[in-house]
Amino acid sequence: MTKSFSQIKLEFDKKYGTSKEFNNFLPEHLILNKKTAFTKKNGNRNEQFYKWQFLYSLVNSGMYAKDFIGTEVFFPKGNKNSAPIKFDCAIFDDVQWFEHYTAFHITKSQESLDWLRKHIIAVVEIKKEDSKDIETVWNQQLKPALKESENEFCLGILYDTERLYLFKKQGNLFLRLNEGYNTKKDESQTKDLQLHLTDSYNTIPNYDQLFQKIYHPKIDRAKRTIEDLEIISGVYSTQLTDGITAILRTMDKVSMKNQRGYEILIQIIALKIYDEKRSAKINAYLDFYKLIKKKNY
């Protein structure tokens, strides 16, 4: 049985909690199999400990394959003499990323640089600051890193001393992944993102969920499980409000916006909840879904 991110994190702490050194299982810039110190001179854990704690948990929980991930990833910024922008970690959608990354840094291949920007699906920033300055880290480090992705959607992860914050680049918007944290919705700026609130580990999208969100591949709706559904983050979620609004509009069109109509709406919601609970309990396909009708042109 697959273990969760939290369970793997506990295993990491038990196995490496007193280690002074760690063998990297992911490339660091262009270097493979590098050793990393886990402690400061005073013996306390350093930022690297939390970096590898996060990545070890992400990979060994089965959420992402290690061949898609690089650490200390450098991208050019401005003219050739400008300091590059550095990601603590970048996740790509193709195992060929390291070949293109090497080609750019060794031969300055602009074709490879273009390829990399089209295939970044997530960027990660690691800190050991006990969330003392999340606003600055988000606005000056993680947000600029997200801008390097040329995808319509890109996931941003900030992991600060085991505290998790999830963000997203969606078109030209830069927001919290949990829509309930964006107090002004799409108009939210840094001060509106409720950065004092963290995200739970079980809300980190896995590779398949992120791939679906970015590329929208065709799926067989009759063979979906609860794992294939997008998480509704709260009562103010766009998915929830848009769905309820669409139902109310349909009820109005068919003159069912009355007591009987609302009874049907409550029954539909109850069936949906039951179907998802049942699917999660017995690991079965969802039975309650709407097919997308083919359009006739």
Side-chain angles (χ1 to χ4, degrees), residues 74-76 100-101 103-105 108-119 148 150:
F74 290 79
F75 273 72
H100 287 281
Y101 186 76
F104 169 69
H105 283 281
K108 303 302 178 185
S109 168
Q110 297 303 304
E111 183 180 355
S112 287
L113 179 59
D114 289 341
W115 187 98
L116 290 165
R117 285 176 170 150
K118 287 184 174 72
H119 290 269
E148 289 297 306
E150 294 182 357

Side-chain angles (χ1 to χ4, degrees), residues 11-275:
E11 288 185 6
F12 178 89
D13 291 347
K14 185 176 180 180
K15 189 174 182 179
Y16 299 105
T18 57
S19 299
K20 294 183 178 180
E21 195 174 62
F22 183 76
N23 295 320
N24 297 358
F25 61 91
L26 299 171
E28 182 171 304
H29 187 41
L30 300 173
I31 303 171
L32 301 174
N33 304 313
K34 184 179 178 181
K35 292 184 181 294
T36 298
F38 264 6
T39 58
K40 300 177 181 179
K41 290 182 179 179
N42 61 7
N44 293 335
R45 293 174 178 175
N46 60 17
E47 187 178 287
Q48 289 296 317
F49 175 87
Y50 294 101
K51 171 182 172 179
W52 290 102
Q53 179 195 61
F54 177 80
L55 295 174
Y56 182 95
S57 303
L58 203 67
V59 170
N60 287 281
S61 63
M63 298 181 71
Y64 291 87
K66 67 177 184 178
D67 293 337
F68 292 84
I69 306 174
T71 70
E72 304 301 316
V73 176
F74 290 79
F75 273 72
K77 199 70 176 175
N79 62 53
K80 63 181 181 180
N81 295 318
S82 298
I85 184 171
K86 185 186 77 171
F87 310 162
D88 285 335
C89 168
I91 303 176
F92 298 86
D93 64 3
D94 194 311
V95 295
Q96 296 181 37
W97 77 269
F98 192 68
E99 295 176 24
H100 287 281
Y101 186 76
T102 302
F104 169 69
H105 283 281
I106 300 300
T107 68
K108 303 302 178 185
S109 168
Q110 297 303 304
E111 183 180 355
S112 287
L113 179 59
D114 289 341
W115 187 98
L116 290 165
R117 285 176 170 150
K118 287 184 174 72
H119 290 269
I120 302 173
I121 60 173
V123 293
V124 183
E125 186 68 31
I126 307 293
K127 292 294 179 185
K128 184 185 177 296
E129 299 177 353
D130 296 310
S131 300
K132 292 177 181 176
D133 200 7
I134 293 298
E135 184 175 288
T136 300
V137 176
W138 155 245
N139 211 24
Q140 297 185 19
Q141 293 180 258
L142 187 57
K143 185 176 178 180
L146 282 170
K147 292 180 179 180
E148 289 297 306
S149 173
E150 294 182 357
N151 285 313
E152 182 71 13
F153 185 97
C154 187
L155 176 67
I157 301 174
L158 173 55
Y159 190 71
D160 186 344
T161 329
E162 301 188 356
R163 298 174 179 88
L164 177 70
Y165 303 83
L166 299 176
F167 300 87
K168 64 181 176 181
K169 166 191 173 261
Q170 191 161 1
N172 295 320
L173 302 175
F174 297 86
L175 303 165
R176 293 293 294 271
L177 183 65
N178 183 332
E179 294 171 356
Y181 290 163
N182 303 313
T183 57
K184 294 185 179 179
K185 299 185 178 179
D186 288 353
E187 302 298 320
S188 298
Q189 300 299 314
T190 298
K191 62 184 176 59
D192 308 311
L193 302 182
Q194 298 199 63
L195 297 175
H196 61 288
L197 299 175
T198 60
D199 292 283
S200 60
Y201 297 146
N202 63 4
T203 60
I204 303 173
N206 62 32
Y207 177 83
D208 290 336
Q209 291 168 332
L210 193 52
F211 191 91
Q212 173 73 32
K213 188 181 287 288
I214 297 170
Y215 301 113
H216 310 291
K218 292 182 179 180
I219 59 173
D220 185 348
R221 287 175 173 256
K223 294 184 178 179
R224 290 195 302 174
T225 67
I226 193 168
E227 298 297 327
D228 298 313
L229 301 182
E230 192 167 344
I231 294 173
I232 300 296
S233 53
V235 294
Y236 300 109
S237 165
T238 300
Q239 306 101 304
L240 184 60
T241 54
D242 288 351
I244 296 295
T245 299
I247 293 171
L248 292 173
R249 285 174 181 167
T250 302
M251 288 168 56
D252 193 39
K253 287 180 182 178
V254 297
S255 301
M256 288 292 288
K257 214 170 182 182
N258 51 33
Q259 184 174 344
R260 177 56 183 155
Y262 285 110
E263 287 177 359
I264 294 172
L265 175 58
I266 292 170
Q267 290 171 359
I268 290 171
I269 294 172
L271 281 169
K272 180 64 176 168
I273 294 171
Y274 170 78
D275 191 31

